[in-house]
Amino acid sequence: MTSTARAGIPDPAVNTFQVDLRGLVDLLSHHLYSSPRVYVRELLQNAVDAVTARRAHDPAAVVRIRLAADGGQVSIEDSGIGLTADEVHTLLATIGRSSKRGGEHGLESARREFLGQFGIGLLACFVVARQIRVVTRSARTPDAPPVEWLASDDGSYTVRVLPDEARPEPGTTVHLEPRPGAEEWTAPARVEELARDFGSLLPYDITFADDAGNERPVTDRPAVWDRPHPTPGARRVALAGHCARVFGFSPLDTIDLDLPVAGVRGVAYVLPEATSPAHRAGHRVHLKGMLLTDHADNLLPEWAFFVRAVLDTDTLRPTASRENLYDDETLAAVRDALGARIRDWLTGLAAGEPERLAAFLSVHHLGVKSLARHDAELLDLMLPWLPFETSDGQVGLDEFAAAHGEIHFTRTVEEFRQIAPIAAAHGLGVVNAGYTYDADLLALLPAVRPGIRVTELDAGAVTDRLDAVGTTAELALASFLATARARLSPLGCDVALRAFQPVTVPALFLDDRQARHERDRVTAQEGADALWGDILGALRGAAPRARLVLNHNNPLIRRIAALPDTELTGLAVESLYGQALLMSQRPLRPHDTTLLNRAFLGLLEWATHPSTPRADTPRADTPQATTPEQAASEEDPK
């Protein structure tokens, strides 16, 4: 007697869950499965598992599977293990019950031997069928008669025993009567297409019969990567044709993916065109020959975005919908091992086939750079081949480091584009690290190439490389430089005068990360309340300020320096600052925008005001601008 009964409380009644089959079918078709097409996979899966069980029971049994589509009806017949009347009631009418389960290790055995694991089997066929009819006879119990199981999508079913002549031999036949609106999925051509897509690598011979009675093979074994070929070239051609059929492109190269210990065999195709590292590739995975998914995005490491893989496995676990891989420790280990296979392929190209490696890197250098960030050995191996944009052009870092004792880099493409012509003209080695992964690789460079110094480009390094102006010439322009510095100092910008190439660049705006941080701090302080303003003010550092470098070789600079009007000179300097800032493509602060507007309107007013002195009429007390040759002669009378 239970404790509740002894206390005078009756035991609770035991009830059974009721399942609304219509609701379950809606759940399967709209949420569990991505498409009604999976019903063909479920038919093939049940047939293959039945045949596998028959072979385990009777190794000498002749097995066959025949799929047919005729007049809207779809059927599949197998010579598998079959079912008795009791098994039909237990297995076909109980949701979640699988004939592959049983015993303490039943589920693990199912994973090793069978495709199906979750016991939803024929229910998936209701996504296209109004009625399912199963005629089956057991091979385990030869004297048991054939049985018919007839189920409708309203949740009802009947079971009846048939005479022996209804099915003389063991096995099962499944007939589907399509529901209205599902005709496209049961058309003979569509059924055959789906059967080939899902079942071409299944281990048993499967045939398809169309409405004219013509039978054609569905299976196409062995897989193309396992077939013998007369030459390596013939194998590459066969694999390229397979890639074109499966993925729709001709591969740049192929990589064998063979992990016997993990039960994985397949091939990876290298994309012929560059793709974004952020793009999640869809790989094609077969489970014991049955297509599981053609969009597995967790099969390979993220850095291997330049390949599309197709493989067959008998160890990885599927999700409940059997449309993707379950991300567990086994998959993580396989993913790492497949990544190592791709890495070994790259190493082999670098060691013995530089032409193929160069062709690959011309398209997919981003993928290799991504991998090299986490693999110093690979970075050391690939460094001579990886292209970088530098002030010397598109070259490898080994070659670039040999030409420059110190490597400078910019963090943005815009900053590099501004400084590259000037750096090239003055022997300054600058690398554009504004592209994906380049800054990370430059940070690792000293570790794989000891003795190479890598620093971020700063305003001082550039200014020091530019030619200094003669003392006499700079003193002659002291008034002009004082005006320029007075105008730009409130903006956190110093002014320097240098002579540099190309002569067409009148002014160069330079700053570094510390200077940018200080500019941002000042901007934030100006817009903050009193409390935060005091806090930000206390954070003020002694970082170098931005710098506007004026080109003494440029004729415009010399003409501006000779202007007779101080206010006009100030407007011209502000305009030069604004133009250099825009050329560097840095974000404009409110102060910068105000300055640009003021300078533009001021110059327009000066140009249209009749009483404004012209620039070509210098004042008597204004020193005349000198040419670079004159300045040099003044510095050295000889």
Side-chain angles (χ1 to χ4, degrees):
M1 181 180 294
T2 64
S3 59
T4 54
R6 285 194 298 268
I9 302 173
D11 288 337
V14 178
N15 299 290
T16 303
F17 283 105
Q18 301 298 312
V19 177
D20 180 0
L21 189 56
R22 288 184 185 273
L24 183 59
V25 169
D26 179 74
L27 178 66
L28 291 174
S29 59
H30 292 97
H31 300 282
L32 184 61
Y33 296 124
S34 62
S35 167
R37 68 196 296 266
V38 298
Y39 87 93
V40 174
R41 184 193 66 198
E42 296 296 334
L43 289 175
L44 292 173
Q45 175 178 288
N46 286 340
V48 168
D49 285 344
V51 167
T52 300
R54 177 74 182 274
R55 276 282 175 86
H57 174 72
D58 180 8
V62 177
V63 296
R64 65 185 184 280
I65 300 174
R66 180 179 183 271
L67 180 65
D70 183 7
Q73 302 286 322
V74 177
S75 65
I76 187 168
E77 180 182 7
D78 67 72
S79 58
I81 196 66
L83 299 173
T84 64
D86 290 341
E87 290 170 337
V88 164
H89 280 288
T90 303
L91 300 175
L92 296 185
T94 304
I95 296 170
R97 182 71 61 84
S98 173
S99 61
K100 276 76 74 175
R101 297 181 182 179
E104 182 181 357
H105 304 290
L107 183 55
E108 289 304 318
S109 175
R111 288 176 183 154
R112 290 192 298 269
E113 304 297 336
F114 300 102
L115 298 175
Q117 300 175 21
F118 297 96
I120 52 180
L122 285 176
L123 281 180
C125 295
F126 276 120
V127 299
V128 299
R130 184 187 66 83
Q131 188 179 77
I132 301 175
R133 179 173 178 260
V134 178
V135 177
T136 181
R137 186 163 192 167
S138 175
R140 291 193 185 96
T141 312
D143 55 347
V147 181
E148 176 195 73
W149 180 79
L150 185 65
S152 299
D153 60 0
D154 61 1
S156 63
Y157 74 93
T158 61
V159 177
R160 66 187 180 111
V161 175
L162 301 178
D164 286 345
E165 57 269 20
R167 184 168 185 95
E169 299 295 331
T172 301
T173 303
V174 179
H175 302 271
L176 303 184
E177 182 180 327
R179 63 172 62 251
E183 292 81 4
E184 65 167 309
W185 299 105
T186 57
R190 191 60 176 275
V191 174
E192 183 178 12
E193 175 192 355
L194 293 176
R196 292 182 186 279
D197 198 34
F198 283 114
S200 62
L201 299 184
L202 286 172
Y204 305 109
D205 291 336
I206 301 173
T207 60
F208 173 79
D210 59 21
D211 46 2
N214 301 313
E215 291 198 18
R216 292 177 290 275
V218 168
T219 47
D220 184 22
R221 302 185 313 274
V224 64
W225 53 83
D226 285 330
R227 295 175 188 172
H229 297 89
T231 64
R235 185 174 187 271
R236 283 196 294 269
V237 170
L239 289 173
H242 177 257
C243 178
R245 291 191 301 273
V246 172
F247 293 116
F249 65 84
S250 296
L252 185 66
D253 212 331
T254 58
I255 308 168
D256 284 314
L257 303 177
D258 186 10
L259 303 174
V261 176
V264 173
R265 177 75 175 143
V267 65
Y269 297 113
V270 181
L271 291 168
E273 297 177 351
T275 186
S276 169
H279 178 67
R280 298 300 297 270
H283 307 291
R284 189 175 175 91
V285 179
H286 297 259
L287 178 61
K288 301 183 183 71
M290 178 72 77
L291 177 65
L292 184 71
T293 179
D294 53 10
H295 53 268
D297 59 1
N298 56 355
L299 180 65
L300 296 181
E302 290 185 2
W303 55 260
F305 54 83
F306 51 86
V307 300
R308 297 292 181 271
V310 53
L311 55 82
D312 188 25
T313 175
D314 56 13
T315 58
L316 301 179
R317 291 175 54 193
T319 58
S321 65
R322 290 188 290 277
E323 293 189 309
N324 213 332
L325 294 170
Y326 188 78
D327 211 334
D328 56 8
E329 293 180 357
T330 302
L331 177 58
V334 168
R335 182 165 50 237
D336 291 342
L338 293 176
R341 285 286 185 271
I342 298 174
R343 181 190 178 282
D344 292 343
W345 170 78
L346 286 171
T347 304
L349 291 186
E353 300 184 78
E355 296 83 6
R356 288 175 64 193
L357 178 63
F360 167 75
L361 289 178
S362 67
V363 179
H364 295 298
H365 56 275
L366 272 183
V368 179
K369 287 182 177 181
S370 174
L371 175 58
R373 293 179 304 154
H374 310 291
D375 192 329
E377 183 180 349
L378 183 66
L379 175 60
D380 182 35
L381 183 69
M382 291 288 138
L383 208 52
W385 308 97
L386 290 175
F388 287 81
E389 186 177 14
T390 75
S391 52
D392 291 349
Q394 198 84 358
V395 299
L397 288 183
D398 272 348
E399 178 183 347
F400 190 71
H404 301 276
E406 182 177 5
I407 295 179
H408 301 272
F409 67 92
T410 64
R411 291 190 178 271
T412 65
V413 175
E414 295 77 15
E415 185 179 4
F416 175 81
R417 296 284 165 78
Q418 185 198 24
I419 200 65
I422 299 167
H426 293 270
L428 186 66
V430 182
V431 176
N432 182 2
Y435 295 119
T436 306
Y437 310 131
D438 284 6
D440 295 336
L441 295 181
L442 284 168
L444 295 173
L445 185 59
V448 298
R449 293 291 188 273
I452 295 179
R453 184 182 176 192
V454 179
T455 59
E456 185 173 356
L457 185 69
D458 59 54
V462 178
T463 307
D464 292 344
R465 284 298 185 102
L466 303 181
D467 295 336
V469 178
T471 304
T472 303
E474 189 163 1
L475 286 174
L477 299 176
S479 176
F480 162 68
L481 293 175
T483 300
R485 288 168 180 145
R487 284 296 185 110
L488 299 185
S489 182
L491 299 172
C493 182
D494 291 333
V495 176
L497 183 67
R498 293 290 186 273
F500 57 86
Q501 299 294 329
V503 71
T504 54
V505 178
L508 180 66
F509 180 83
L510 298 173
D511 65 354
D512 52 30
R513 185 164 52 177
Q514 290 181 321
R516 289 192 289 271
H517 287 172
E518 178 63 17
R519 285 159 57 90
D520 293 340
R521 186 199 63 78
V522 172
T523 301
Q525 182 180 1
E526 292 170 351
D529 56 26
L531 174 61
W532 284 107
D534 291 341
I535 294 174
L536 291 170
L539 296 176
R540 181 176 181 178
R545 306 206 304 171
R547 189 174 301 181
L548 183 69
V549 183
L550 303 177
N551 188 0
H552 188 248
N553 289 342
N554 183 269
L556 176 62
I557 295 298
R558 295 199 296 271
R559 289 197 297 270
I560 293 175
L563 287 173
D565 189 294
T566 303
E567 180 62 26
L568 181 58
T569 301
L571 288 174
V573 170
E574 290 176 345
S575 298
L576 288 171
Y577 169 82
Q579 186 266 349
L581 196 62
L582 291 173
M583 289 297 294
S584 69
Q585 299 193 28
R586 286 171 173 75
L588 298 180
R589 301 172 298 170
H591 287 329
D592 298 327
T593 304
T594 301
L595 176 142
L596 282 172
N597 290 335
R598 182 177 68 241
F600 177 72
L601 295 175
L603 290 176
L604 284 179
E605 183 177 351
W606 171 82
T608 57
H609 199 284
S611 62
T612 303
R614 303 300 298 177
D616 54 1
T617 309
R619 296 176 301 182
D621 59 344
T622 302
Q624 299 298 305
T626 59
T627 66
E629 293 76 9
Q630 292 171 331
S633 64
E634 293 172 1
E635 287 294 312
D636 186 0
K638 292 186 290 184

